[in-house]
Structures are given as structure tokens and as C-alpha cells.
Amino acid sequence: RGSSSARSEAKSGRTDLIFLIRFRHCCLLRNQRCVLAYLYDRLLRIRALRWEYGSVLPNTIQFHMSAEEVEWFNRYKKSLATYMRSVGGEEGLDLTQDIKPPKSLYIEVRCLRDYGEFEIDDGTTVLLKKNSQHFLPRWKCEQLIRQGVLEHILS
């Protein structure tokens, strides 16, 4: 039976239907809580993607996101960028660098594919060719490590 007919019969004196209506209402509330928990978990995962992959998501990940989720990601990205520009002086502060505290400022890396020239802060350029190894500043390499261009060599 429809819920409106069950409600009208319960009002007219059929008390056996009151239990059924309450049970249905509790089921609806439980389903609503489950959906909200699922959506909140997805938002937390999308927020973590910004910290893991940077401001541009790979197409393989974006393919599995809805248009609303992509829009939320873009708004979060802009909000984070605005905040990072507001702290740390003129250049701002990039909070996405050094997600884990570094043990040393320089790391040894191996190039996994041809990338081309890579400029370091002091103005020197390094040619990143496949299978070449370099000793570079950690903070300059983190983005390339996440992109799969470089691999951190652990001694």
C-alpha cells in the first residue's frame, strides 16, 4: 500500500499500521544517514586528491567523478591557492610541498622517462634523461616524483 493510504487508515483507527509507518520512517532516516556519510567520504577523498596530485587531476581519476565533484574540486583548489598566496609574504607559501617532513634537503633521484631540461633555483639546469641519476633539492623534485617522471632512490 502507499504511505498516504496507510496514514489515513492509521488516523481512522487502524493502530496496527502505526508500527509499519514508524518502521518505514526509521528506514528512510537510516538510508539518508548512509547516503550523507558516503557523500562526505567522497568529498574527503577528493580533497586528498588535491594534496596528492596537485592542481591538475589525471584523466583516469576525473573520469570517475561527477560534474558536481569536479566543480567542488575546482572551488577547493581555488580556495587553497588563495589562502597559500595570503600567507608567507609576497610569493606566498606552498603548503603542498613537503607533505611528510624531509630528513634531508637533497635527495637522489632516477629519471624514469625523458623529461628534458630542468632548472634548479640557483640557475643551473639539469638534463633529465631516462635512467639518469641526480642529486637534487627535495622540494623541486616532489611534483615530478608524484607525476612519475622521477623516482626517489632510497639508499
Side-chain angles (χ1 to χ4, degrees), residues 50-68:
R50 167 58 181 95
W51 292 88
E52 185 177 343
Y53 288 101
S55 60
V56 178
L57 289 178
N59 289 333
T60 55
I61 292 176
Q62 262 191 349
F63 176 75
H64 296 288
M65 294 171 59
S66 69
E68 292 82 9

Side-chain angles (χ1 to χ4, degrees), residues 74-92:
N74 289 331
R75 280 190 279 137
Y76 179 73
K77 175 178 70 173
K78 289 177 184 173
S79 175
L80 183 62
T82 302
Y83 176 73
M84 288 190 300
R85 278 192 304 270
S86 71
V87 287
E90 292 177 17
E91 296 177 18

Side-chain angles (χ1 to χ4, degrees), residues 12 17-18 24 44 54 67 84 93 100 106-108 136 143-144 147 155:
S12 65
L17 293 177
I18 292 175
R24 182 179 179 276
L44 291 179
M84 288 190 300
L93 177 65
K100 295 178 183 173
Y106 285 82
I107 58 172
E108 191 171 0
L136 300 172
Q143 192 71 15
L144 292 176
Q147 292 173 1
S155 305

